[in-house]
Amino acid sequence: MAAYRKKTMYKLTHITTPIMLVCLAVFFGLTVFLSEGASVDVAYGVLTGVAFGAVIMGLVILVVRAGCSDSRMEKEIMRAVEKLGLGDAEQYQLASEMLSAKGDSSKELAFESMAPNSTESIPVCVTVTEHFAYMKGDAPFVNIIRLADVDRIEATEEKRQATKRGAKVKAIYTFHVYAICFFNKAGEALGGFGFFDENLRDRTMKMLGK
């Protein structure tokens, strides 16, 4: 999260915000100029655009920073833990196994996930230990599977369609989602991990011993 937050905030503060301020300053200044305002009025228009942009981008930065904060990760982890109903002993076991697996390529797979037709990637990490399968960074943000509950694991592939809207055209494109689905003895779905890359899905299956 720290690396993702740093990259995201840098892009917002050093690229997006300056571009937004310049565009709004030009827009407001040009609007006043075209209405035959005095040079002083044009200057006020430019300052108004800068101030307006600063307020908008300030709010955006606050929202984004809160969305990729450590506290959000902690809340999402605890929500997933509560959903599984893990007791204190299992929580300790989960934490211990995750820490032990860190940096072990046979148990941990970290990668950048980029959705089709997107220019932004997000960091995703899959960890498979003796008792748990854990995926963070995707949707849901934190996904924990207790392997003792799993009776069957399936690798699936699904073709989906989405719409790309441009200034004058609307295009429909297709893409594939590669997933790993977990089922209990009753055949009920316990959840799953989704990938846009078949190779990443297959590597995770190998980590699961499949």
Side-chain angles (χ1 to χ4, degrees):
M1 288 303 295
Y4 177 65
R5 180 169 57 245
K6 183 178 180 180
K7 181 180 72 173
T8 303
M9 295 305 297
Y10 180 87
K11 185 176 292 186
L12 272 175
T13 57
H14 290 70
I15 300 176
T16 306
T17 297
I19 291 175
M20 177 66 73
L21 294 181
V22 170
C23 289
L24 287 175
V26 171
F27 174 76
F28 278 84
L30 191 59
T31 300
V32 175
F33 176 77
L34 292 177
S35 63
E36 298 182 355
S39 58
V40 175
D41 295 330
V42 173
Y44 278 122
V46 170
L47 291 175
T48 300
V50 171
F52 183 70
V55 171
I56 295 299
M57 292 310 301
L59 292 173
V60 170
I61 289 172
L62 287 175
V63 170
V64 171
R65 188 171 184 82
C68 59
S69 65
D70 293 337
S71 61
R72 183 199 172 193
M73 172 64 79
E74 293 171 4
K75 290 178 182 178
E76 293 293 339
I77 290 174
M78 292 311 301
R79 185 177 290 116
V81 166
E82 291 170 2
K83 183 179 178 180
L84 274 181
L86 300 181
D88 291 341
E90 285 185 303
Q91 289 184 40
Y92 180 82
Q93 183 181 50
L94 170 65
S96 298
E97 291 185 4
M98 292 299 128
L99 288 172
S100 297
K102 188 171 180 61
D104 186 342
S105 58
S106 66
K107 297 180 179 179
E108 185 180 71
L109 176 61
F111 57 93
E112 295 283 326
S113 177
M114 183 177 292
N117 197 39
S118 173
T119 58
E120 297 292 333
S121 63
I122 58 173
V124 178
C125 186
V126 178
T127 307
V128 178
T129 65
E130 182 181 356
H131 299 97
F132 299 96
Y134 173 63
M135 186 176 195
K136 63 181 177 182
D138 205 349
F141 195 64
V142 173
N143 192 357
I144 305 174
I145 303 294
R146 180 167 44 199
L147 296 179
D149 299 334
V150 177
D151 180 66
R152 188 175 84 257
I153 301 175
E154 291 185 1
T156 65
E157 177 183 343
E158 181 181 349
K159 182 185 290 186
R160 297 184 182 180
Q161 288 188 334
T163 303
K164 178 182 179 181
R165 299 181 182 277
K168 297 181 179 180
V169 297
K170 180 176 71 173
I172 297 177
Y173 63 96
T174 61
F175 61 95
H176 289 80
V177 174
Y178 304 93
I180 297 175
C181 303
F182 301 89
F183 301 90
N184 61 18
K185 291 182 179 180
E188 299 171 333
L190 299 173
F193 298 161
F195 306 85
F196 295 114
D197 187 312
E198 184 178 11
N199 179 56
L200 293 172
R201 191 272 312 272
D202 292 345
R203 289 171 64 185
T204 302
M205 286 292 287
K206 288 182 180 180
M207 289 166 56
L208 289 162
K210 301 297 179 181

